[in-house]
Amino acid sequence: MESVRIRRELLEYLLELAREFYPNEFAGFLREKDGVFEEVLIAPNPHFGRSSAFFDTWMLPYDESIKGTVHSHPGPNPWPSEADLHFFSKFGGVHLIIAYPFTENSVRAYLSNGERARLEVVD
């Protein structure tokens, strides 16, 4: 299983975002530096609803450090939906899903093909 590395500070911030947007989903793009996800970028003009999050990827700045995405699921299911898998295949990289109750144990990482990856939290 491939491993994905994320800074603890970023993971805690993402968990807080998921709690703040609840009961709606939230979504963002993950910036990577030296193999570790360190920042989140919220796309311009997003729509965060109860059953989906939408943003226009054409509005993103050109940024080679964006290597993944993150979004929350307001329910306890951390598995990607068909729409998630379709997006994963188009955008590529690594994708995090944060499920309710938005704790470290409810975060799952996936590769662009939908395969699960191990999430490694680093300080």
Side-chain angles (χ1 to χ4, degrees):
M1 182 182 294
E2 191 168 326
S3 187
V4 174
R5 299 174 73 210
I6 186 170
R7 291 263 178 243
R8 179 166 304 284
E9 183 178 352
L10 174 59
L11 180 58
E12 289 171 359
Y13 179 63
L14 294 173
L15 293 170
E16 185 60 34
L17 284 174
R19 290 180 200 111
E20 285 180 19
F21 278 93
Y22 181 81
N24 294 329
E25 290 191 12
F26 93 95
F29 295 88
L30 297 171
R31 286 185 170 141
E32 181 185 73
K33 182 178 178 186
D34 299 325
V36 179
F37 287 113
E38 295 196 348
E39 294 180 334
V40 63
L41 172 69
I42 305 298
N45 300 317
H47 164 74
F48 299 144
R50 288 180 185 244
S51 61
S52 66
F54 174 80
F55 39 79
D56 188 351
T57 56
W58 293 102
M59 299 291 289
L60 283 175
Y62 178 73
D63 186 339
E64 290 186 4
S65 69
I66 295 175
K67 303 289 184 187
T69 67
V70 58
H71 76 277
S72 63
H73 282 181
N77 179 358
W79 310 111
S81 66
E82 287 299 317
D84 291 338
L85 291 171
H86 180 74
F87 177 73
F88 293 177
S89 72
K90 299 297 181 198
F91 194 77
V94 173
H95 307 276
L96 302 183
I97 295 177
I98 305 172
Y100 182 84
F102 315 122
T103 64
E104 193 171 319
N105 290 332
S106 63
V107 181
R108 300 289 185 274
Y110 300 94
L111 305 178
S112 60
N113 64 3
E115 181 182 322
R116 189 148 171 220
R118 184 176 334 113
L119 188 64
E120 181 184 344
V121 182
V122 297
D123 291 320

